[in-house]
Amino acid sequence: MKTLSGKEVVEAIETRLAGGVGWLKEQGVNPSLAVILVGDNPESHSYVKGKLVRAEKLGIHSQDHFLPAETTQEELEALVARLNEDPATHGILCQLPLPKGLDEPRITRLINPAKDVDCFHPYNFGLLAQGEHHLAPCTPAGIMEMLKHYQVPVSGKNVVVIGRSNIVGRPMSLLLSHKGVDATVTVCHSRTPDIAEHTRRADVLIVGIGRPEWIKADMVAEKAVVIDVGVNRVDDPSRPRGYRLAGDVAFDEVSARAAAITPVPGGVGPLTVIMLMRNTLLAAADQNSLKFPEHMDI
Ligand code: GUN
């Protein structure tokens, strides 16, 4: 069994992106990402911190807009409108979920599609569905990079995606079914009867349902490749923080059966962040009518 390391893939991509940042700056463009975080959800804070640290490391300018949980819809919309208009801001990300009372779909639709580095806007999602997208959603795009890096074949294979969220499952199924990728995709979700019947037929199994260690060895085909998108906090008094992180897959037992598997943490997570950086560079270039030279492979 092989462990698929997100870190290894990130290192390969990071070198190329660093070249892209340098090139943009030579053209007089200082790529800049605005990150909006409302409230004090600790997991969201931890994700956002990871994004800001990575941006700084790559030389991408970042703006953190940390707002209190009591922020009104009008205040949040005013901030998005201001960032939409600011030519020095190339990417806008509003960390989800938003606190209760704020209208998430409305905010998602308000972000200028050219600056929508999450690819959550219905315009970008529509382009993705048509296979005409410029920006791809970060987690599914990161998984595609992972599969490519480790030369996991998907063309003509059965790929089973568990979860139909707009952030992971649904866009993942779109990317995989595009012409040229050519996977046969099955999407399972909480109302699928007998999920195991599907998962056992998967050459590649991608799981993002948010249930800790839910996929057990007997649900996985011998020699399958398993991609675990789940990040769950599980109480563990023996840890200094009182919890540990667990994926949606029971790692120990499934790794004994699978050909390859991603760990949690250290698997898909770092790829989501590096794809966000990539989208920021693509958005910055596009907004300045620039095209990265082919050889840079951004
Ligand atoms: N919440 C969980 N994942 C994501 C993500 O990729 N982007 C945003 N904006 N919020 C999230």
Side-chain angles (χ1 to χ4, degrees):
M1 187 279 309
K2 189 175 175 63
T3 301
L4 306 178
S5 156
K7 194 161 166 263
E8 184 182 314
V9 187
V10 164
E11 278 166 11
I13 299 171
E14 199 175 25
T15 312
R16 304 192 321 247
L17 295 190
V21 172
W23 184 82
L24 277 175
K25 289 184 179 176
E26 278 165 27
Q27 317 304 310
V29 177
N30 190 15
S32 180
L33 170 67
V35 179
I36 304 171
L37 174 56
V38 188
D40 35 39
N41 178 325
E43 284 163 40
S44 292
H45 267 271
S46 156
Y47 290 141
V48 161
K49 190 166 163 237
K51 294 170 185 180
L52 295 171
V53 166
R54 178 64 66 177
E56 182 172 338
K57 194 168 166 223
L58 265 175
I60 295 175
H61 177 258
S62 61
Q63 316 159 36
D64 48 359
H65 298 276
F66 290 179
L67 308 177
E70 306 72 46
T71 301
T72 64
Q73 180 76 20
E74 291 70 27
E75 287 165 333
L76 186 53
E77 290 187 12
L79 173 61
V80 171
R82 181 165 70 71
L83 295 169
N84 277 345
E85 291 303 315
D86 175 18
T89 298
H90 305 106
I92 304 171
L93 174 148
C94 182
Q95 186 68 23
L96 304 181
L98 287 170
K100 269 208 182 72
L102 292 173
D103 186 339
E104 223 169 77
R106 207 178 136 89
I107 294 297
T108 300
R109 280 166 211 188
L110 203 64
I111 293 175
N112 177 349
K115 300 188 178 189
D116 171 34
V117 283
D118 267 322
C119 193
F120 289 171
H121 192 289
Y123 175 79
N124 287 325
F125 215 93
L127 289 179
L128 177 76
Q130 294 175 336
E132 299 288 338
H133 54 290
H134 180 52
L135 303 172
C138 301
T139 300
I143 293 169
M144 295 304 286
E145 289 293 330
M146 171 83 94
L147 296 172
K148 191 165 117 191
H149 180 89
Y150 286 106
Q151 296 173 356
V152 176
V154 288
S155 174
K157 301 290 181 185
N158 287 324
V159 181
V160 175
V161 177
I162 313 214
R164 55 180 161 181
S165 72
N166 286 333
I167 299 183
V168 181
R170 202 178 305 278
M172 187 77 251
S173 68
L174 292 172
L175 283 177
L176 285 162
S177 58
H178 281 153
K179 251 197 161 59
V181 181
D182 302 328
T184 300
V185 187
T186 305
V187 180
C188 300
H189 47 76
S190 54
R191 303 192 71 86
T192 303
D194 198 359
I195 286 187
E197 184 197 329
H198 299 281
T199 58
R200 282 192 208 107
R201 284 192 284 108
D203 299 303
V204 178
L205 178 61
I206 302 176
V207 194
I209 40 165
R211 295 186 197 169
E213 295 165 349
W214 192 73
I215 295 287
K216 309 287 190 210
D218 65 356
M219 299 171 78
V220 176
E222 197 81 53
K223 301 285 168 225
V225 173
V226 181
I227 308 288
D228 188 351
V229 194
V231 184
N232 307 287
R233 289 187 177 194
V234 176
D235 288 342
D236 186 345
S238 73
R239 303 289 175 105
R241 290 183 183 156
Y243 67 86
R244 68 185 167 85
L245 292 181
D248 290 347
V249 178
F251 185 88
D252 290 339
E253 58 178 89
V254 172
S255 60
R257 195 169 167 81
I261 183 168
T262 60
V264 176
V268 172
L271 285 165
T272 297
V273 181
I274 203 74
M275 289 295 107
L276 173 67
M277 302 302 127
R278 178 173 185 265
N279 279 350
T280 304
L281 298 192
L282 292 174
D286 218 37
Q287 283 157 50
N288 289 280
S289 308
L290 292 168
K291 250 186 153 29
F292 286 104
E294 203 72 34
H295 74 269
M296 297 192 90
D297 195 19
I298 298 300

